[in-house]
Amino acid sequence: MTAANLEIVGAGLRQATRRRTVPAVRLTLVSAAHGALLGVLAAVFVTLVAETTLNGLAVVVWGFVYGVLVGALGGLFRGLVRNRPEAVTTEVLPTRYEVRCTAEELSVAQTLLADAADVDDGRVERTVIADAPHPGQQQRDAA
């Protein structure tokens, strides 16, 4: 049996909506971490390029502190103002899948499905539908 003789088709389609919101605390913490990284990188650049009255470690520490503050404020603003639950993503998902094959391959497909005990989780209904139309066959029938 070749893969060209099989079709796996999603059936019983339904629309699923997903609200994409991230908690404001998480956005604040992640943005603070990003800000800290940017602050440390900027401080290292300043210590390499500019003349300062502070030693290099102090500049890096201040860069870290300012980066955390700016990043946390930016993440908090984004979490409270722009993180609206009205932004909904809609997807079309199948509730079950069908394996389709030609009538000649029906016994082979049934044997393969019966032997697939390692994939059985009790949620999947296994059926084989014979004589599934193939795209090339539909074009020949139309002509």
Side-chain angles (χ1 to χ4, degrees):
M1 174 175 254
T2 62
N5 294 339
L6 286 177
E7 290 180 359
I8 299 175
V9 180
L13 300 177
R14 65 177 173 89
Q15 276 191 335
T17 58
R18 192 180 307 182
R19 297 186 183 273
R20 302 226 175 205
T21 59
V22 180
V25 174
R26 182 173 179 188
L27 277 176
T28 303
L29 293 175
V30 169
S31 295
H34 288 161
L37 180 65
L38 280 172
V40 168
L41 289 175
V44 168
F45 179 73
V46 165
T47 57
L48 292 176
V49 175
E51 292 274 335
T52 62
T53 57
L54 300 172
N55 63 4
L57 182 63
V59 173
V60 171
V61 169
W62 279 112
F64 176 80
V65 170
Y66 284 131
V68 167
L69 289 174
V70 171
L73 288 175
L76 182 63
F77 175 76
R78 181 173 167 225
L80 294 177
V81 176
R82 290 204 232 152
N83 194 19
R84 301 281 183 201
E86 292 94 30
V88 175
T89 304
T90 304
E91 297 174 314
V92 178
L93 300 173
T95 56
R96 62 186 170 86
Y97 290 90
E98 296 175 353
V99 178
R100 298 182 181 187
C101 65
T102 59
E104 296 83 28
E105 303 286 342
L106 180 61
S107 62
V108 176
Q110 285 175 335
T111 305
L112 289 174
L113 281 175
D115 290 342
D118 57 332
V119 213
D120 190 12
D121 60 356
R123 296 182 300 160
V124 179
E125 176 186 335
R126 294 184 189 163
T127 57
V128 177
I129 301 173
D131 290 326
H134 292 286
Q137 184 180 7
Q138 289 174 352
Q139 291 172 355
R140 279 183 271 147
D141 293 341

